[in-house]
Amino acid sequence: MSSAYVTLEQVAQHAGVSLATASRVINGSTRQVSQRLSDKVKASAQELGYLANASAQTLARNSSSLVGLLVHDIADPYFSSIARGITRHTEEQGLVTVLGTTYRSAQKESTILAALRAHRAKAIVLVGSRSTDEDSNTTLVREIEAFQQQGGRVACVSQPGLPADTVSPDNHAGATELARHLIAQGHRRFAILAGPTNLSTARERLDGFHSALSAAGLELQHHNIVHGDFTRDGGYESTQRLLRLGSDATCLFAVNDVMATGAMAALREAGIRVPEELSVAGFDDIPTLRDLTPSLTTVRLPLEQMGEHAAQMALDHEHEGEFRTVHVQGEILIRESTRPPAL
Amino acid sequence: MSSAYVTLEQVAQHAGVSLATASRVINGSTRQVSQRLSDKVKASAQELGYLANASAQTLARNSSSLVGLLVHDIADPYFSSIARGITRHTEEQGLVTVLGTTYRSAQKESTILAALRAHRAKAIVLVGSRSTDEDSNTTLVREIEAFQQQGGRVACVSQPGLPADTVSPDNHAGATELARHLIAQGHRRFAILAGPTNLSTARERLDGFHSALSAAGLELQHHNIVHGDFTRDGGYESTQRLLRLGSDATCLFAVNDVMATGAMAALREAGIRVPEELSVAGFDDIPTLRDLTPSLTTVRLPLEQMGEHAAQMALDHEHEGEFRTVHVQGEILIRESTRPPAL
DNA sequence: CTAACCTGGGAAAGAGTTTTCCAAGACAGA
DNA sequence: TCTGTCTTGGAAAACTCTTTCCCAGGTTAG
């Protein structure tokens, strides 16, 4: 056989029309084609099982149906929830989602961005707060702009400050509200399980918490701050460190639920009861972690919708050329893990 | 400008060689090119920032660097763990992963498979037990074979019986071992939170449990079996149903951890203490669910490695033409949620 | 010394689509 | 009847890369 594939030319021949006519029918060009021929072409395509060669289309159109999705770790429920929202939208649009995982490596990120550029992806959604490291950030901006110059759209989730559409949770407000709740419950000595200092999400949540304390005339003591890496095990280890330092806090704010989970495990092992002896709060309201005992006081973010919204922005054609920023407010959820401190 | 992109021809011109020579240098053809020219071409490419047009390559080679990954739901930690293993391997190989989510819809699955075929994907990894529905299964087999005939490789995870490489957990053995453990603890009346009857994974786990009971001369009473849909909420609701039916069981086996989580929530709400009043066991050992209280007795599956292994099989070139099946044994983990029944 | 053989490099033929440009035919208005 | 306007269909260029075929020049063997 000459080719294992059915080509548009074969469809055209089978329908007795020219290649161009067949193409016009298949992808509904502006030019009119008579009903009779149009039907004939469609029937032909159906009959022969025609499936357009995507690479040929991409080559001719200089744009593919691929949408890139960059996350740090797809097994982290924070990212997989957002990813779900993104894929929901892209698949609805008949597009194909490319999943790239970076593990917070600027180099892996570059590799994937280059691949998406090479494939003439239609859009890219970047998820997850980014290192504020100067160099890698300017590199990222250059790559984003290169992609945009070849006609691609970019949207970011939780990654402010880039030349792209952005969906960001109001981390500051969420953490502030959470702090106010703890203060209202009577807590005066706080410990915080902060995130990597160079990630905006981590910084904003820390700042928000801080500013509520300051506003209430309270202080966060230096030895009551530890930094984790946003993972469960990081939270576990950092909490152990905190305990070794002999914290006198009555409550612990972990800047994300995943670390809070590790914190609770460490506390349980250390024989410290939550919330009787220590209140714990998290951030995100990760769906998979809603069944912890005690249930976690946290700030709910609509992760899935955030992803969906970002994908929408990256793919709608209304607002070419402008960058929109959407702020999402979290909703504070008071659950079992926080209560007024024992006297 | 004529084109916003650097083409190989431009690289060749800039290096003072022919297009063919440049191509031979770039993708290391069998034909030798002198060191001098080779270096010149590489320097040229570097200098001009050459990035090969992936669609042109795909068109010419009739094979792309895309690897498809089909899961039911990327937000389900079972799938996201496996997905992590798969992407680890594909990204190591410099390939691009396409994520397709099917939500157990045969139609969505077909759509994605067609897209992957259109893109001349190099391989596809299908994850998740599949409906045994006759029709959709033959359709799937046809689609798989069509893809293989165009030169693509297919691997499956937890989806036996397809014409492809397969990595499958030994669900039967795992459930049997779990049942033996419960029997050894003294349990005699069992309840089971089974999965969708048409999914092989669910059936095998149910069968394995059953056969251990039979071997011990025990019976599983009809009213002690309920079916869930493998989701947390499904487990929750099915457990409520079980309670309404007035189960007399001393232990409950949920055929996956996610449903076990819902079960524990329903039990807690109903005021039934685990494990004091009722033992609970799950299956999978989902990483995110390891911090439940009480910790869940379960069968650990190396989800990430399973994904990685499947990707390897789909991408190695050693074993073209043959279909290999790898069975993975689970490891039983006795934790807090099971204990001998009260007298 | 000549025939056979290598080696490196260039020209050109695809790969399958989209899209522009042009021709031919139909038809209405003058 | 002629001109101008539509409508429809076809030919061909363009997109960028891979790969085959062939040639020129040099090397080796007989």
Side-chain angles (χ1 to χ4, degrees), chain B residues 17-18 20-21 24 31-34 37 59:
Chain B
V17 302
S18 81
T21 303
R24 286 201 274 257
R31 285 280 291 273
Q32 284 290 3
V33 175
S34 72
L37 287 197
L59 185 58

Side-chain angles (χ1 to χ4, degrees), chain A residues 173-200:
Chain A
T176 299
E177 201 178 344
L178 198 53
R180 287 212 198 99
H181 160 67
L182 293 169
I183 294 168
Q185 281 195 326
H187 292 279
R188 291 297 174 268
R189 295 191 305 279
F190 304 89
I192 185 159
L193 178 40
T197 41
N198 59 348
L199 295 188
S200 60

Side-chain angles (χ1 to χ4, degrees), chain A residues 18 20-21 24 31-32 37 59:
Chain A
S18 81
T21 304
R24 285 200 276 258
R31 284 278 292 275
Q32 284 288 4
L37 288 196
L59 186 58

Side-chain angles (χ1 to χ4, degrees), chain A:
Chain A
M1 66 200 126
S2 62
S3 162
Y5 303 93
V6 178
T7 70
L8 191 53
E9 186 168 19
Q10 289 169 21
V11 172
Q13 273 175 10
H14 188 261
V17 302
S18 81
L19 174 59
T21 304
S23 171
R24 285 200 276 258
V25 171
I26 296 298
N27 49 43
S29 138
T30 45
R31 284 278 292 275
Q32 284 288 4
V33 175
S34 72
Q35 193 61 44
R36 194 178 54 88
L37 288 196
S38 173
D39 289 350
K40 225 158 143 189
V41 170
K42 280 177 188 151
S44 249
Q46 183 76 37
E47 201 175 322
L48 300 182
Y50 173 68
L51 179 64
N53 182 324
S55 45
Q57 289 183 316
T58 301
L59 186 58
R61 294 195 183 129
N62 198 32
S63 174
S64 72
S65 59
L66 264 42
V67 175
L69 158 53
L70 263 78
V71 298
H72 292 314
D73 181 359
I74 193 63
D76 180 326
Y78 176 80
F79 294 109
S80 65
S81 296
I82 295 175
R84 189 189 215 240
I86 294 169
T87 56
R88 168 145 26 110
H89 187 75
T90 54
E91 292 180 3
E92 219 167 69
Q93 305 286 314
L95 300 169
V96 172
T97 315
V98 166
L99 172 65
T101 50
T102 64
Y103 301 104
R104 300 198 193 284
S105 148
Q107 197 243 306
K108 287 207 174 90
E109 189 171 65
S110 291
T111 306
I112 296 168
L113 288 174
L116 288 168
R117 212 136 51 82
H119 279 280
R120 303 291 185 266
K122 179 173 261 101
I124 296 178
V125 183
L126 301 169
V127 183
S129 56
R130 158 152 207 83
S131 157
T132 52
D133 170 36
E134 193 77 7
D135 279 1
S136 72
N137 238 339
T138 55
T139 308
L140 177 64
V141 169
R142 251 205 304 278
E143 287 164 344
I144 287 178
E145 285 171 348
F147 180 68
Q148 288 166 334
Q149 267 160 25
Q150 41 169 80
R153 296 282 298 273
V154 179
C156 303
V157 178
S158 279
Q159 203 160 329
L162 292 174
D165 291 325
T166 303
V167 177
S168 279
D170 191 337
N171 290 308
H172 192 99
T176 299
E177 201 178 344
L178 198 53
R180 287 212 198 99
H181 160 67
L182 293 169
I183 294 168
Q185 281 195 326
H187 292 279
R188 291 297 174 268
R189 295 191 305 279
F190 304 89
I192 185 159
L193 178 40
T197 41
N198 59 348
L199 295 188
S200 60
T201 302
R203 261 208 333 275
E204 291 162 14
R205 291 177 186 182
L206 179 55
D207 289 352
F209 198 81
H210 246 132
S211 68
L213 296 198
S214 304
L218 298 169
E219 261 185 51
L220 186 52
Q221 309 215 335
H222 193 68
H223 67 272
N224 272 329
I225 304 183
V226 286
H227 288 270
D229 62 357
F230 271 169
T231 68
R232 185 266 181 208
D233 290 350
Y236 176 85
E237 283 157 24
S238 300
T239 303
Q240 286 187 328
R241 202 167 346 127
L242 195 68
L243 294 176
R244 274 201 303 276
L245 294 174
S247 169
D248 58 348
T250 60
C251 70
L252 169 64
F253 170 45
V255 300
N256 75 350
D257 281 4
V258 172
M259 286 200 299
T261 306
M264 296 225 288
L267 294 171
R268 191 175 312 122
E269 274 183 25
I272 297 173
R273 283 169 302 144
V274 176
E276 291 81 356
E277 297 174 65
L278 188 72
S279 287
V280 173
F283 205 113
D284 288 339
D285 189 37
I286 297 294
T288 345
L289 297 177
R290 284 178 194 154
D291 289 295
L292 293 179
T293 315
S295 58
L296 199 55
T297 290
T298 192
V299 178
R300 162 173 293 166
L301 293 182
L303 298 173
E304 208 174 316
Q305 286 98 300
M306 285 163 57
E308 194 171 4
H309 199 158
Q312 267 168 21
M313 291 203 293
L315 292 171
D316 88 31
H317 289 257
E318 304 279 306
H319 302 263
E320 310 265 355
E322 30 171 330
F323 299 142
R324 291 165 292 163
T325 296
V326 173
H327 280 283
V328 177
Q329 292 301 321
E331 176 196 357
I332 186 166
L333 298 176
I334 316 289
R335 294 199 285 216
E336 296 165 359
S337 68
T338 52
R339 68 159 62 163
L343 294 186

